[in-house]
Amino acid sequence: MTNRLAPLALGVLLAAGPAAADLVFPDLSYRTGPFAAGGVPFSDGYQDYFTLVNERDGGIGGVKARVPECETAYNTEKGVECYEATKGDGALIYQPLSTGITYQLIPKVEADHIPLHTMGYGRTSAANGKVFEWVFNYPANYWDGASVIVKYLMDENGGSLEGKKITLLYHNSAYGKEPIPTLEALSKKHGFKLTLIPVDSPGQSQKSQWLQIRRERPDVVVMWGWGVMNQVAIQEAANINFPMDHFIGNWWAGAEHDVAPAGMAADGYKALNMNRVVDYPVFADIRSHVIDKGLAAGDGSYVGSVLYTRGMYAAMLAVEAAKTAQEMTGTAQIDAAMMRDGMEHLEMTDARMEALGMPGIGPEFTVSCADHGGSGMAIVQQWNAADKTWVPLTDFIAPDAEVIAPLIEADSTAFAAENGIAPRCD
């Protein structure tokens, strides 16, 4: 069973030594604050999968997983405090679910030799494993996501965006600013006009932004939002009668709670997703082995939702990396360095995902010394308000490597030069 750690209880965790046989996967969660609507289901899915592996499989390679939870409230300072409080507990990997926290943790995990997995968020150029030895962001990153949106829009517009007006409505933070370099490069390549409109955190007031959108009448609004910002944006779009099928969010702006408050007005809204949302066989196992036994992290109501599924997916990737590390080293009692090696040799195939009870949850991908970013693929889904379901519009779409790869190379090379890092893998 998982245990939860509030910020005030950090000293308790520091005083408590790890159980001898535990494999420790800290959960830097946020169940409070304006971003809790996304943080809660993700954390529930993350923790419940580890509990499932413990209850159904007897652990990972026969060793039980332990998931100490530390509340960050999506606050960077608290996130760093949680990291410092838990890293000495035998932590194998961190998944902070925050770009701001990620940026602060990158130098720390490099120094402490603990892997950091920022699945679909964080510093995009960490996809370059030659520079970022301890950081992974597979299966996709923000620059991939921006490129996938543009490729989708190209297909929707007869192969050309020449002269089109695209507005990026973004969370005014490190997270929201991540896709800007890619969209600027793509606007030059494809001839569309890009307008940038920031929304200050948490995003509860957007009247001026949507007045600007109504005045400028863009062909498409792309949203890089999170938490309450998404709900407000969708309602404001409805208020000005902006066509929902011309409004597309990234994969953190495409969950049920983002659209439900607007009711039927949200019908037709689109968003990326890095994981498919279907009734996977693994959910039945979670219900019988975790929820029905009273071991769930939450009340079980989020099972099958977008972000519960993504949290489960993140945990599954961590478990499979741990198994890979165990196989590579011949020991079940792996440490953080071994876990890093397992992450760098992870191979996710369709057959492997099907065997785990989640067929097609994500694209196939492999990780290597040089490539910590995965396939970069995502699907586009659309909200059906009447049925209250997300309907996939596409299969997985590959990003534009011609644009993305040079951007990653340039940014990671600059980071290496600034920090005296000698690229590896050659």
Side-chain angles (χ1 to χ4, degrees):
M1 181 183 289
T2 59
N3 70 72
R4 294 194 181 152
L5 176 71
L8 292 177
L10 296 182
V12 176
L13 180 73
L14 285 167
D22 286 346
L23 296 178
V24 181
F25 300 85
D27 179 16
L28 271 55
S29 64
Y30 38 95
R31 297 179 179 274
T32 62
F35 306 102
V40 170
F42 186 96
S43 185
D44 283 358
Y46 190 71
Q47 294 188 37
D48 285 355
Y49 188 76
F50 283 108
T51 304
L52 171 66
V53 170
N54 283 344
E55 294 297 310
R56 183 192 62 191
D57 306 336
I60 305 170
V63 183
K64 291 295 181 75
R66 183 159 58 88
V67 188
E69 181 175 353
C70 188
E71 172 69 31
T72 72
Y74 198 75
N75 176 279
T76 297
E77 184 178 346
K78 288 183 180 179
V80 173
E81 288 176 1
C82 282
Y83 170 80
E84 294 293 347
T86 56
K87 70 179 183 181
D89 199 31
L92 293 179
I93 179 178
Y94 281 90
Q95 302 206 39
L97 199 64
S98 159
T99 294
I101 297 173
T102 294
Y103 268 76
Q104 293 301 310
L105 291 189
I106 286 175
K108 291 180 177 293
V109 299
E110 295 278 351
D112 295 334
H113 290 177
I114 303 173
L116 182 68
H117 184 198
T118 61
M119 188 176 88
Y121 61 94
R123 184 173 188 136
T124 295
S125 62
N128 185 357
K130 294 180 179 181
V131 173
F132 295 92
E133 183 176 0
W134 294 87
V135 188
F136 301 78
N137 55 15
Y138 55 74
N141 59 59
Y142 285 141
W143 295 354
D144 292 328
S147 171
V148 167
I149 288 175
V150 170
K151 286 186 76 172
Y152 170 75
L153 293 174
M154 291 274 290
D155 289 343
E156 289 292 288
N157 288 274
S160 174
L161 292 175
E162 187 72 36
K164 297 288 186 182
K165 295 189 292 184
I166 297 177
T167 291
L168 174 67
L169 184 75
Y170 66 96
H171 192 271
N172 196 13
S173 65
Y175 154 60
K177 295 172 184 176
E178 274 290 312
I180 293 174
T182 307
L183 290 172
E184 288 176 337
L186 289 167
S187 70
K188 292 176 183 176
K189 179 176 180 178
H190 297 297
F192 62 84
K193 180 186 176 183
L194 177 66
T195 299
L196 306 175
I197 301 181
V199 175
D200 289 337
S201 183
Q204 291 169 307
S205 177
Q206 298 180 38
K207 293 292 184 185
S208 63
Q209 287 89 347
W210 284 95
L211 283 173
Q212 182 180 346
I213 289 169
R214 184 171 67 178
R215 183 173 64 251
E216 296 181 357
R217 300 171 61 87
D219 296 288
V220 179
V221 172
V222 174
M223 179 160 67
W224 234 259
W226 187 227
V228 69
M229 172 183 163
N230 298 339
Q231 299 172 5
V232 173
I234 290 168
Q235 186 59 61
E236 290 290 352
N239 291 346
I240 68 166
N241 295 315
F242 189 83
M244 284 294 167
D245 60 349
H246 288 241
F247 189 11
I248 181 168
N250 74 347
W251 44 61
W252 302 114
E256 295 83 2
H257 61 265
D258 295 322
V259 286
M264 288 303 299
D267 190 57
Y269 171 76
K270 298 174 182 177
L272 292 184
N273 205 334
M274 70 177 80
N275 55 273
R276 288 190 175 97
V277 181
V278 300
D279 189 14
Y280 294 110
V282 71
F283 292 146
D285 287 352
I286 288 174
R287 290 186 179 96
S288 62
H289 291 281
V290 181
I291 296 170
D292 292 349
K293 291 182 179 180
L295 302 175
D299 62 7
S301 62
Y302 290 113
V303 175
S305 67
V306 170
L307 290 175
Y308 182 97
T309 303
R310 191 169 303 154
M312 179 192 70
Y313 183 27
M316 178 270 279
L317 294 176
V319 170
E320 294 308 298
K323 290 179 185 176
T324 301
Q326 290 172 334
E327 292 165 3
M328 290 172 61
T329 60
T331 179
Q333 200 68 54
I334 59 171
D335 60 20
M338 295 173 184
M339 181 71 182
R340 193 216 71 84
D341 291 345
M343 295 175 72
E344 196 165 89
H345 290 82
L346 182 63
E347 244 186 283
M348 292 308 304
T349 64
D350 287 337
R352 192 168 189 175
M353 288 181 278
E354 184 167 5
L356 294 169
M358 46 187 91
I361 188 170
E364 291 188 300
F365 69 89
T366 59
V367 189
S368 67
C369 179
D371 181 8
H372 285 189
S375 72
M377 301 176 82
I379 66 170
V380 177
Q381 60 187 16
Q382 187 170 40
W383 181 243
N384 181 319
D387 295 340
K388 297 181 180 179
T389 58
W390 288 102
V391 179
L393 300 180
T394 70
D395 200 345
F396 283 102
I397 300 171
D400 186 347
E402 184 181 82
V403 170
I404 304 300
L407 290 173
I408 288 176
E409 182 67 23
D411 189 76
S412 58
T413 298
F415 181 88
E418 291 166 7
N419 293 276
I421 298 172
R424 61 194 190 102
C425 305
D426 294 331

